[in-house]
Amino acid sequence: MLINSYNCDCDYECNAKRFKRNFKNWTSGNNNIDKFIQDTQLLEHNYYEVHNALEWIPYDKLYDIKYITEDNKFGKVYRANWIDGCIDIWDHENKNWGREDQNMFVILKILNNPSSITLEFINKIAVPHEIAVPHKVFGITQDPETKNYMMVSNINKCGICYATCNSMCFQRNFENWTSGNNDIDKFIQDIQLLDHDNANEALEWISYDRLYNVKYIAEDNKFGKVYRANWIDGYIY
Ligand SMILES: [Zn+2]
Ligand SMILES: [Zn+2]
């Protein structure tokens, strides 16, 4: 692996120095990616907080990896849970990085061209709303089977709201229901994805067993038979 020789001149123990001491303990297997991650770490000169450093994330720290969508720029996009959560501060007591959001949801996007990765590229990552990604990237991992390098980014904040909004909550739930008809699924999902603040404007899939007392009431010339029923759950608000 390649080790960046840069030395900062902070006269105190800064995070860049701590990151640098750890360079020998990890490698992505690709010099360019190593250098890229190291460079982001060497920009962190705080004593406590870490802001934008990326890290090498071993693939076995991710679980429940599921395909979610296709993105024009990156191809297949996956979601996963990240066991460790992201680096937050230097923990003096444990002499290690303090982390937050253990088991958080993350998005994985394939890096098609790992040899030309730059910070500018990372910062310019498109934000296709279907996957509601903000710009916050945590690090890079590699699928040991396909050998694809993948960027690991935050799924907890919507790229439009910069917060956890209804659109994201609906999206996380897509895998838990289906109407049995792709067009209807897509129709309901599209409406839900537009809903960043006011949930009672979204549609949802209502399973028939959530309805009771279903009774025929009339014939309508447009729809045919019309029924009335009671709905156990009531609508989302
Ligand atoms: Zn420093
Ligand atoms: Zn939103």
Side-chain angles (χ1 to χ4, degrees):
M1 78 172 285
L2 192 89
I3 294 199
N4 192 311
S5 59
Y6 165 84
N7 284 309
C8 74
D9 38 57
C10 300
D11 59 0
Y12 54 93
E13 179 78 352
C14 71
N15 285 327
K17 288 175 178 150
R18 295 169 183 137
F19 276 122
K20 194 175 173 202
R21 275 202 299 275
N22 198 41
F23 284 175
K24 61 181 185 300
N25 297 324
W26 61 267
T27 178
S28 67
N30 174 305
N31 279 346
N32 192 65
I33 289 180
D34 285 354
K35 167 95 168 50
F36 177 73
I37 293 174
Q38 288 172 10
D39 284 348
T40 68
Q41 296 182 344
L42 292 174
L43 293 172
E44 300 280 341
H45 297 285
N46 284 341
Y47 188 61
Y48 284 116
E49 290 121 59
V50 176
H51 294 297
N52 297 309
L54 303 190
E55 62 178 313
W56 174 246
I57 300 172
Y59 200 72
D60 62 7
K61 297 293 189 183
L62 302 167
Y63 64 96
D64 253 352
I65 300 168
K66 283 184 192 140
Y67 170 74
I68 47 171
T69 187
E70 191 97 15
D71 173 294
N72 331 344
K73 217 158 148 190
F74 292 93
K76 293 195 166 73
V77 178
Y78 301 81
R79 49 140 281 190
N81 293 83
W82 182 16
I83 296 172
D84 299 325
C86 62
I87 293 175
D88 178 30
I89 52 159
W90 177 255
D91 179 343
H92 283 275
E93 225 165 274
N94 296 310
K95 300 265 177 293
N96 206 339
W97 299 113
R99 292 173 178 272
E100 59 178 13
D101 293 337
Q102 279 75 24
N103 302 298
M104 66 159 78
F105 284 101
V106 289
I107 291 180
L108 310 178
K109 288 178 176 183
I110 295 171
L111 277 172
N112 293 317
N113 203 350
S115 59
S116 66
I117 184 172
T118 62
L119 202 55
E120 201 187 6
F121 168 80
I122 288 268
N123 289 334
K124 269 197 202 143
I125 288 162
V127 185
H129 189 253
E130 311 87 70
I131 52 162
V133 191
H135 292 230
K136 177 70 182 161
V137 176
F138 295 125
I140 298 172
T141 190
Q142 184 184 33
D143 180 337
E145 263 169 46
T146 62
K147 304 290 176 209
N148 283 328
Y149 284 102
M150 299 163 114
M151 269 178 339
V152 179
S153 56
N154 194 344
I155 203 177
N156 286 321
K157 289 189 181 131
C158 164
I160 291 182
C161 307
Y162 295 100
T164 305
C165 67
N166 291 328
S167 169
M168 299 192 57
C169 298
F170 279 127
Q171 178 189 297
R172 262 181 223 164
N173 200 38
F174 284 175
E175 66 197 25
N176 297 325
W177 61 267
T178 176
S179 66
N181 174 307
N182 285 343
D183 292 335
I184 290 178
D185 284 357
K186 178 90 174 53
F187 177 73
I188 294 175
Q189 288 172 3
D190 283 350
I191 290 175
Q192 291 186 340
L193 285 174
L194 290 175
D195 182 14
H196 292 274
D197 49 14
N198 191 357
N200 61 38
E201 283 166 14
L203 301 187
E204 63 179 307
W205 174 247
I206 300 167
S207 52
Y208 199 75
D209 61 8
R210 305 312 291 167
L211 303 169
Y212 64 98
N213 254 341
V214 182
K215 279 182 196 139
Y216 171 72
I217 45 169
E219 190 90 18
D220 173 298
N221 18 7
K222 220 157 149 189
F223 292 96
K225 292 194 169 73
V226 178
Y227 302 80
R228 50 137 290 185
N230 293 82
W231 181 15
I232 297 170
D233 304 311
Y235 60 88
I236 300 170
Y237 67 94

